[in-house]
Amino acid sequence: MSEKSIIIKFEGLSEQTVGGISRIVGLVQARFFVSIIDFFNLEANPRSSKTGPVTDAIQETIANMPSLFPFMSKGILLASSNYEKLERGRIKLKPNNKKIEGILDGGHNTLAIGMYILKQAMDYHGQSLTSKTKNWDLFKSLWVEKRNIVESYLKDIQSGEAVSTLDFLVPVELLVPCDINDSGCVFSFTNNLLEICEARNNNAELQLTAKANQKGYFADIQEMMKTYNPVIAGRIEWKTNEGGEIKAQDIIALSWLALNMIDPVRDENNMDKYIDSIAPYKLYSGKGACLRQFEKLMSSPDVTKEAPDGYHAELFNDEVRSAFRIAADLPDLYDYIYENFPKYYNSNGGHFNAITACKNLNEKRKVKVTPFKGKKISQLTPDGFIMPLFYGIQALLDKREVNGKKEIYWTQPPMSFLDDNFDKIVADYMGNLGLCDYDPQKIGKATKVYDDAIKSYKMAKAGIL
């Protein structure tokens, strides 16, 4: 089989065409479903898939009610911008871009079916499927490793040497452009795939994170993280269910520290209106709002343009790109503040453990690590106390033009600045806790506290604190 194509054999095939899209629907025997698992990953799916009650239930249905499975499951949704109809219900798929074509919906079905097939093959050869196979990536690695066992099992089934457990049928729906020779039709088809993905996944409430990632809005900030902060980059879950200790929306919230400084950009849905910046307290109490505003920012015609594939967005705004470079530094700075605040609070005459919110947090949480790097620490601090101090770092940022390109930049190395000045900044900041009754919720949402924090950083920067 060519790496650029796959042949799928349908049973009971039917076809419908509406506008420029044709829908081919049928059933695929499990033994022919193997080639789908071989050929596709879940790049085109807004979410990755992971094991759990859903995949367990799917496999239980296959094992106990295989004849009912095609009626109890919606199966999978495939898309390909290029295809060829063959004889006997066979269709050759030749996707042009597997990042946007492939399995649009049904990732959990695909994972569950694949794990069932692999388990049957391994059981047949006296091997056991490891319980460590928790998500699609881990499964696919094991699938490739054990592919010869699967092939041997399929051959023995065909020769009659093995009893088949792969007689069940999988519902498969295939979307293709109605005229693959019409470039306009093909372009329109690929351009609509994201909206189709979103609609098909709405019964699971496709998260905005997943949609933003699929559209390519995270690509540049993700690349900056990989280049300038690889440790943090490896801990971020950019794609839903892919795995990672840090959620993408937490990184996006931090990035508004720098994004708030860019020149105003137009709203895609109202070109006479500029997109609002994010209020500082939203980084603490409105991470969903930060993500929604980020999606709006990245869809602005002043920030991104349509990529040549007609599907993804391509960043061209230099200020936004420079803000993403700043964002790569921010998790480490947040962790520094988080780790050191209790020490400097105490050294400046405070009693950290006497604060009810701090005492309760540390009694309830046995595992004490920093939020982003996961470094072991002795004391946890409510985020409401930390976020204004973090936001004050904006005082170290400025704007300039270099070779005709606007950029946000650090006026001095931020970590060195914290090493030299954070104890004094904490001393100046401490009074805000008393004014807000030592309530982290009040502090984290008080605009005045953020303003005061920025003033403290500016005074320390000027050497007058």
Side-chain angles (χ1 to χ4, degrees), residues 159-329:
S159 67
E161 293 183 34
V163 176
S164 177
T165 56
L166 305 182
D167 293 330
F168 63 95
L169 297 166
V170 181
V172 175
E173 181 180 355
L174 169 64
L175 302 182
V176 294
C178 66
D179 186 353
I180 60 173
N181 297 312
D182 184 337
S183 60
C185 179
V186 174
F187 181 84
S188 177
F189 172 79
T190 56
N191 198 42
N192 287 324
L193 290 181
L194 179 63
E195 298 305 319
I196 294 172
C197 276
E198 182 182 5
R200 288 302 185 94
N201 283 271
N202 66 3
N203 61 347
E205 294 185 357
L206 177 65
Q207 296 179 14
L208 181 57
T209 305
K211 184 178 179 182
N213 180 63
Q214 194 72 356
K215 189 68 176 175
Y217 291 157
F218 293 158
D220 289 272
I221 190 171
Q222 185 177 6
E223 192 58 38
M224 288 294 184
M225 285 289 175
K226 288 180 180 178
T227 302
Y228 296 102
N229 201 337
V231 173
I232 293 294
R235 293 171 57 83
I236 303 171
E237 183 184 71
W238 294 107
K239 184 172 184 176
T240 306
N241 292 336
E242 196 170 43
E245 297 85 354
I246 304 169
K247 299 303 180 186
Q249 70 174 18
D250 292 336
I251 297 296
I252 296 305
L254 294 189
S255 73
W256 278 101
L257 178 85
L259 289 172
N260 270 343
M261 297 185 66
I262 69 170
D263 289 346
V265 297
R266 292 171 295 166
D267 188 328
E268 180 188 36
N269 299 315
N270 185 352
M271 299 294 274
D272 295 326
K273 181 182 177 183
Y274 288 105
I275 294 171
D276 294 330
S277 58
I278 284 287
Y281 71 86
K282 290 289 187 182
L283 277 64
Y284 164 68
S285 64
K287 292 180 181 178
C290 291
L291 184 60
R292 287 191 295 274
Q293 202 69 353
F294 179 83
E295 194 269 343
K296 188 180 289 189
L297 171 77
M298 293 301 290
S299 64
S300 168
D302 298 328
V303 176
T304 59
K305 61 183 178 181
E306 193 174 78
D309 62 17
Y311 183 90
H312 292 105
E314 197 172 84
L315 177 66
F316 67 85
N317 186 297
D318 294 318
E319 272 191 304
V320 172
R321 184 175 286 107
S322 70
F324 289 164
R325 168 62 189 94
I326 297 296
D329 298 329

Side-chain angles (χ1 to χ4, degrees), residues 389-452:
L389 278 170
F390 165 78
Y391 200 84
I393 297 174
Q394 191 185 72
L396 305 182
L397 294 175
D398 206 347
K399 299 169 68 169
R400 65 187 176 191
E401 190 169 315
V402 179
N403 297 324
K405 295 182 178 181
K406 295 180 179 180
E407 68 174 20
I408 314 295
Y409 74 103
W410 293 114
T411 58
Q412 53 185 285
M415 194 62 79
S416 297
F417 178 88
L418 288 176
D419 282 335
D420 295 338
N421 297 283
F422 191 56
D423 57 338
K424 293 174 287 187
I425 291 170
V426 171
D428 196 53
Y429 174 79
M430 288 170 59
N432 286 298
L433 274 64
L435 292 174
C436 294
D437 301 320
Y438 298 93
D439 183 341
Q441 292 281 338
K442 291 181 180 178
I443 293 166
K445 295 178 181 179
T447 300
K448 180 183 181 301
V449 178
Y450 289 85
D451 293 339
D452 287 349

Side-chain angles (χ1 to χ4, degrees), residues 232 235 246 250-251 254 330-332 334-335 370-374:
I232 293 294
R235 293 171 57 83
I246 304 169
D250 292 336
I251 297 296
L254 294 189
L330 299 181
D332 287 337
Y334 191 97
D335 276 5
T370 57
F372 292 98
K373 233 166 194 173

